Amino acid sequence: MTVKFPLLQIPLINFFASPTRISRHRRFIFMESQSYFDSPSVATTDYPVPLSPPLPALSKDIEPNRALTASSKSALFSLSRSHVIFEDEWIIAVNKPQGIYCESVLSSLPDLLNDTGANVSELHLANRLDRDTSGVMLITKLHKVAAKFVKAFTDHKVRKTYLAYCVGLAPKWEKITVKSGHGRSKYGAWRVYAASDAGRKLPGGSLVKDMETSFEVLSVNGLGCFKEVSDLHKDEDIIIVQEKSVIGCDLKKDEILVRASPRSGRTHQIRLHCQYLGIPIRGDVRYEGVYEWKGNIYDSHELHAESLSFEHPITGKSMLLQAPLPSWAIQPLRSQFE
């Protein structure tokens, strides 16, 4: 039996149909490796070269202030029953607000559960979300359940979907999967590396790891439709990253709502791949997202953990947990929700 939580279902509107539409069969795109910085000093090292740019200067001014604001909000945060998406005697799923640290959600949970007489000594985060990412956060109540989820995530038995509001050049693809490397560069920032660099050593001693994300376009400039969570791997294009992206993030023209499904669980994975595709997330100044757009300032990135699906580790039931949509995700499709 599948346990589902209601989400609006909207009829599919095909806004991609055009004489120039890309082929719907799977297409693999391979590119020869190319240095992001063409200089003799880089060529003499044996370290892999990052293919995404370093942190923008703007982020170094804005991110510290965002962190301070989030710390203040998190210190005052308290979970309520309105945040709860699902609960049984083994797990609880909550809708984490934007701008709140995961640790603050976890630390405020005992006050909520004490009223029910539940055991609060073994609470454990099954998944983590970035500070400014909202949405489904799963917490286990027992150590044995936590261990089962660790294995389920490691074995890719838990499926995650996210919604991201991006600003860039409208993509020509409807569905795409990006496969690349992921790691920390010399100065500690997370960067995209060539897929072929996976396993190679980085300056800090860590290794480049594989990173894979599937994307589906839901709306471009308010035209499109909201679709149920489905198989993003069907009728997709596939990019195997081996060189610097040819799509610049300076082409900030269109507003694109995408659904993303990460197969791996790397830090800032969706944000990095959106940057690589030339559609950085609005407000994500760390990865070239717009800070100011159409007269508005965006103090956080617009990324939402939409759903988690998995087999319940105790009951064996198929679970689909979905968080309510944030206003920025509803707005581009407002006419369909009215």
Side-chain angles (χ1 to χ4, degrees), residues 33-172:
S33 183
Q34 172 182 310
S35 169
Y36 185 77
F37 299 105
D38 295 322
S39 68
S41 60
V42 171
T44 57
T45 68
D46 193 32
Y47 295 121
V49 178
L51 303 181
S52 58
L55 298 182
L58 180 64
S59 72
K60 297 173 184 177
D61 297 328
I62 294 174
E63 281 295 322
N65 290 330
R66 287 183 174 179
L68 285 173
T69 300
S71 294
S72 299
K73 288 176 60 178
S74 296
L76 300 173
F77 177 72
S78 178
L79 271 175
S80 68
R81 280 288 155 189
S82 64
H83 292 108
V84 177
I85 298 170
F86 173 82
E87 183 182 7
D88 62 17
E89 58 188 293
W90 302 285
I91 60 175
I92 181 170
V94 300
N95 182 24
K96 184 186 90 67
Q98 189 179 59
I100 301 294
Y101 288 104
C102 286
E103 292 77 10
S104 297
V105 175
L106 182 64
S107 63
S108 68
L109 189 56
D111 290 338
L112 185 70
L113 295 180
N114 279 335
D115 295 337
T116 66
N119 179 17
V120 298
S121 64
E122 298 183 10
L123 297 176
H124 182 269
L125 289 175
N127 71 313
R128 305 182 70 88
L129 300 177
D130 292 340
R131 177 194 68 212
D132 291 334
T133 301
S134 58
V136 183
M137 202 174 90
L138 185 63
I139 300 165
T140 58
K141 296 181 178 180
L142 298 171
H143 291 323
K144 66 176 183 179
V145 180
K148 288 180 180 293
F149 268 109
V150 169
K151 179 172 173 52
F153 276 102
T154 302
D155 294 342
H156 306 296
K157 297 295 180 64
V158 180
R159 188 187 177 210
K160 302 165 284 185
T161 68
Y162 292 73
L163 297 177
Y165 198 110
C166 307
V167 176
L169 190 62
K172 296 179 181 179

Side-chain angles (χ1 to χ4, degrees), residues 21 31 45 50 53 59 62 120 123 136 148 157 186 193 208 214 219 245 273:
R21 182 177 177 180
M31 294 171 281
T45 68
S59 72
I62 294 174
V120 298
L123 297 176
V136 183
K148 288 180 180 293
K157 297 295 180 64
K186 181 179 179 180
Y193 288 82
V208 176
S214 294
S219 169
S245 175
H273 274 166

Side-chain angles (χ1 to χ4, degrees), residues 6 10 132 279 288:
I10 306 299
D132 291 334
I279 51 169
E288 300 187 280

Side-chain angles (χ1 to χ4, degrees), residues 71-302:
S71 294
S72 299
K73 288 176 60 178
S74 296
L76 300 173
F77 177 72
S78 178
L79 271 175
S80 68
R81 280 288 155 189
S82 64
H83 292 108
V84 177
I85 298 170
F86 173 82
E87 183 182 7
D88 62 17
E89 58 188 293
W90 302 285
I91 60 175
I92 181 170
V94 300
N95 182 24
K96 184 186 90 67
Q98 189 179 59
I100 301 294
Y101 288 104
C102 286
E103 292 77 10
S104 297
V105 175
L106 182 64
S107 63
S108 68
L109 189 56
D111 290 338
L112 185 70
L113 295 180
N114 279 335
D115 295 337
T116 66
N119 179 17
V120 298
S121 64
E122 298 183 10
L123 297 176
H124 182 269
L125 289 175
N127 71 313
R128 305 182 70 88
L129 300 177
D130 292 340
R131 177 194 68 212
D132 291 334
T133 301
S134 58
V136 183
M137 202 174 90
L138 185 63
I139 300 165
T140 58
K141 296 181 178 180
L142 298 171
H143 291 323
K144 66 176 183 179
V145 180
K148 288 180 180 293
F149 268 109
V150 169
K151 179 172 173 52
F153 276 102
T154 302
D155 294 342
H156 306 296
K157 297 295 180 64
V158 180
R159 188 187 177 210
K160 302 165 284 185
T161 68
Y162 292 73
L163 297 177
Y165 198 110
C166 307
V167 176
L169 190 62
K172 296 179 181 179
W173 44 266
E174 180 179 352
K175 293 183 179 181
I176 202 166
T177 290
V178 183
K179 299 182 179 183
S180 73
H182 170 274
R184 282 191 186 273
S185 65
K186 181 179 179 180
Y187 300 104
W190 295 107
R191 310 278 283 277
V192 172
Y193 288 82
S196 58
D197 284 335
R200 293 183 62 190
K201 191 173 182 179
L202 291 165
S206 61
L207 301 178
V208 176
K209 297 182 179 181
D210 64 290
M211 178 165 67
E212 178 180 335
T213 315
S214 294
F215 292 92
E216 176 183 24
V217 175
L218 299 179
S219 169
V220 175
N221 296 324
L223 299 176
C225 70
F226 196 88
K227 308 169 190 175
E228 275 196 288
V229 176
S230 60
D231 184 7
L232 268 68
H233 295 281
K234 185 179 180 181
D235 301 322
E236 67 180 356
D237 280 349
I238 298 177
I239 289 181
I240 310 295
V241 174
Q242 297 292 5
E243 65 175 16
K244 176 188 170 186
S245 175
V246 296
I247 307 171
C249 290
D250 55 339
L251 300 174
K252 295 175 173 63
K253 175 185 177 184
D254 301 301
E255 298 176 350
I256 308 107
L257 181 66
V258 299
R259 173 177 285 134
S261 179
R263 176 169 171 78
S264 46
R266 310 302 178 207
T267 303
H268 300 175
Q269 173 168 334
I270 296 171
R271 298 163 64 186
L272 281 162
H273 274 166
C274 281
Q275 179 191 33
Y276 186 84
L277 290 171
I279 51 169
I281 298 171
R282 187 167 67 180
D284 193 2
V285 294
R286 180 182 290 269
Y287 299 115
E288 300 187 280
V290 293
Y291 175 59
E292 198 172 342
W293 179 249
K294 294 185 176 179
N296 295 315
I297 299 294
Y298 291 90
D299 290 322
S300 57
H301 64 246
E302 296 183 325

